[in-house]
Amino acid sequence: MRSAKRQQIWRTEIRDIVRGACGGFLFGIPLLYTMEVWWIGSFIEPPRMLIAIAATFVVVFMLNRTSGFRNTRDTNLQDAAMDSVEAIALGLACAALILTLLREIAPSTPLDEALGKIIYEGVPFTLGVALARQLLRADDNGNGQETTESRGRQSGSSQTSSPAINDTLSDIGGTLIGSLFIAFNIAPTDEVAMLSSAVSPPWLIAIIVTSLLISYGIVFEANFSDQKKRKQQRGIFQRPLSETVMSYLVSLAAAAVMLWFFDQLSFDDPWSMWLSYTLILGLPATIGGAAGRLAV
Amino acid sequence: MSQTQSPKTSSQATEQEQPSRTPAEWVTFGIASCILAGIVGLVLYVWFGTNYQDDPQISIRESGEVREAEGNYYLPFEVSNTGGSTAESVQIMAELEVNGEVTESAEQQIDFLSGGETEEGAFVFSEDPQQGELTLRVASYKLP
């Protein structure tokens, strides 16, 4: 009995952390693909770094008083302060992870430059963590009772001729919309080419793995708005793993089309360039796509 | 403060009494505090323990053998900032003198060079730089 309760407590805590991290990714990824922020991070001075952390703390503290990333409604001052510390730590950790993945931070990077980048990229991530519940519309009761309108999908879909096809199409649509929403801002910029020139094949594999993990986390682990209903859906790709992989492929295709649309890639470019560009833009596209499936 | 997600728990109970933090939350808070303290500690170390305010000192050197491909000669270089602060728009130049006159020059610009950072690249010549006198120099930088 006790151990079951303890398990439950840990599960809740991990869910809260994953929810916060996913909110951070949604809000922070576009700024991670902005070279000006890397530059600011590389020459900013230590006093300014501390001011950045302090300012972020104040803003996140105020956000935590009203929303936050945990599934609770009432927060007193002490709780809000503690959650703010957690949100900042989570934001810094996620920013450091992705910066390392994109080779903006390497073992050869000087300490002050690495710190500046992590702290300045960590600010949008931390805000995303604090806004996680707003961004991803988690239900406040945690008892999974949602209205059928929340998905814009009729509960009577089981009576239509082919619900599986409908649900699958709706998932693909949601993924495409979400991918466009996040990655369209990034596709025409030089950052894709810059980052792509710095990654080697092992890092591309790491980017694929990270994209899949974040996508899986957003849709299936974080107990966001219509999780319960998602698990009851009957689409062709409704198994969590297959849905994650399917939506990743859809996001990659969307990323490739966007890159071609903005003339970043042309048909006479080598296929290896198509691959690395698409995978680099595929990371934000997947994150957007995962959020899009929840929102549609 | 976080309530369990099981359907047995009514959400009303948690609204009337402020639930205390679970052990799990204390553990994550502990880890989070360590991360934050670590970052702040590192910033303070950079602030007081390093020479981050010193002027940039930029040096350039040849970092390897000249290689030839399709009639061009590639001279790899390494430019590093051994000073404290970051230099922006670092302009570096290479001049090749053959028989007392400059026959070719090459230049390159580095966007940002932090204190302690090293960047690599190559100058390209159409003549063999080993046949003449080569001068590598840092021409200019600006402070961000």
Side-chain angles (χ1 to χ4, degrees):
Chain A
M1 178 61 214
R2 276 188 79 91
S3 69
K5 188 156 189 279
R6 189 172 306 153
Q7 248 184 352
Q8 181 67 51
I9 285 171
W10 271 105
R11 201 173 301 135
T12 308
E13 180 64 17
I14 288 168
R15 282 237 154 116
D16 282 348
I17 298 286
V18 171
R19 177 180 313 116
C22 292
F25 283 123
L26 268 178
F27 201 78
I29 281 276
L31 269 181
L32 258 172
Y33 281 69
T34 307
M35 58 179 114
E36 284 77 4
V37 184
W38 312 333
W39 294 340
I40 293 167
S42 65
F43 63 71
I44 208 79
E45 303 194 330
R48 292 283 305 275
M49 295 184 200
L50 292 182
I51 291 172
I53 294 179
T56 312
F57 184 88
V58 172
V59 173
V60 171
F61 178 78
M62 292 196 286
L63 284 174
N64 274 339
R65 293 278 305 178
T66 53
S67 77
F69 60 97
R70 292 189 189 284
N71 257 336
T72 40
R73 284 199 185 142
D74 37 359
T75 41
N76 57 26
L77 284 173
Q78 188 205 349
D79 280 333
M82 286 171 73
D83 278 351
S84 305
V85 171
E86 287 190 34
I88 292 178
L90 197 56
L92 291 171
C94 292
L97 170 82
I98 303 283
L99 282 166
T100 311
L101 194 70
L102 296 175
R103 314 299 295 122
E104 275 307 306
I105 293 180
S108 61
T109 313
L111 178 65
D112 56 346
E113 183 182 342
L115 279 175
K117 282 181 180 173
I118 290 175
I119 288 168
Y120 270 75
E121 291 288 11
V123 172
F125 268 81
T126 307
L127 294 178
V129 173
L131 291 167
R133 249 185 36 210
Q134 257 59 18
L135 286 173
L136 293 145
R137 298 183 316 130
D139 68 75
D140 274 350
N141 306 321
N143 55 9
Q145 287 179 349
E146 308 97 8
T147 54
T148 44
E149 293 90 61
S150 73
R151 237 180 128 65
R153 188 180 289 180
Q154 291 311 308
S155 57
S157 66
S158 54
Q159 291 148 20
T160 55
S161 54
S162 50
I165 296 289
N166 276 347
D167 279 354
T168 305
L169 283 179
S170 149
D171 269 348
I172 291 177
T175 306
L176 280 174
I177 293 168
S179 302
L180 278 173
F181 196 81
I182 300 272
F184 207 70
N185 301 322
I186 302 172
T189 62
D190 277 344
E191 278 79 357
V192 182
M194 275 176 77
L195 291 170
S196 155
S197 66
V199 293
S200 51
W203 286 99
L204 283 177
I205 305 256
I207 287 174
I208 295 174
V209 172
T210 312
S211 306
L212 288 170
L213 278 177
I214 296 174
S215 168
Y216 184 89
I218 288 181
V219 176
F220 292 103
E221 289 303 314
N223 199 23
F224 294 137
S225 38
D226 20 293
Q227 298 276 329
K228 289 228 165 45
K229 198 186 296 166
R230 290 202 67 77
K231 291 192 175 163
Q232 292 157 3
Q233 262 176 40
R234 308 283 290 277
I236 294 175
F237 299 107
Q238 280 314 310
R239 305 293 294 269
L241 260 179
S242 56
E243 181 182 333
T244 303
V245 172
M246 182 276 304
S247 65
Y248 183 50
L249 294 177
V250 170
S251 304
L252 284 183
V257 170
M258 282 184 250
L259 287 164
W260 173 82
F261 176 80
F262 284 115
D263 209 29
Q264 295 276 72
L265 288 171
S266 61
F267 291 117
D268 22 0
D269 289 327
W271 65 268
S272 57
M273 188 169 148
W274 277 81
L275 182 71
S276 67
Y277 274 42
T278 305
L279 289 176
I280 295 265
L281 187 63
L283 177 64
T286 317
I287 292 172
R293 286 205 303 289
L294 289 181
V296 168
Chain B
M1 61 164 265
S2 169
Q3 70 199 57
T4 53
Q5 300 282 319
S6 72
K8 288 171 197 152
T9 327
S10 73
S11 54
Q12 265 126 25
T14 46
E15 271 164 18
Q16 278 152 18
E17 53 184 87
Q18 182 73 35
S20 59
R21 288 197 156 240
T22 60
E25 288 180 33
W26 280 109
V27 170
T28 48
F29 176 70
I31 296 171
S33 307
C34 289
I35 293 176
L36 191 57
I39 292 277
V40 172
L42 284 172
V43 173
L44 289 173
Y45 165 74
V46 170
W47 191 350
F48 296 109
T50 63
N51 57 348
Y52 82 94
Q53 281 179 309
D54 294 3
D55 286 339
Q57 287 177 20
I58 302 165
S59 56
I60 181 167
R61 60 182 192 85
E62 295 174 39
S63 64
E65 291 297 302
V66 176
R67 68 187 167 85
E68 188 200 352
E70 294 175 356
N72 282 327
Y73 295 85
Y74 296 80
L75 174 79
F77 67 81
E78 222 171 54
V79 57
S80 50
N81 179 359
T82 49
S85 59
T86 304
E88 192 183 336
S89 307
V90 180
Q91 192 79 25
I92 49 178
M93 307 181 68
E95 286 182 338
L96 181 61
E97 274 184 51
V98 181
N99 304 328
E101 56 180 282
V102 176
T103 55
E104 274 191 280
S105 68
E107 54 185 52
Q108 177 56 262
Q109 184 172 326
I110 313 271
D111 287 338
F112 281 93
L113 199 61
S114 302
E117 191 173 22
T118 301
E119 291 267 2
E120 291 176 37
F123 292 119
V124 186
F125 297 99
S126 56
E127 295 176 57
D128 188 352
Q130 289 150 313
Q131 302 305 318
E133 181 126 353
L134 190 70
T135 322
L136 296 185
R137 67 186 192 90
V138 178
S140 65
Y141 70 82
K142 73 172 185 171
L143 289 173

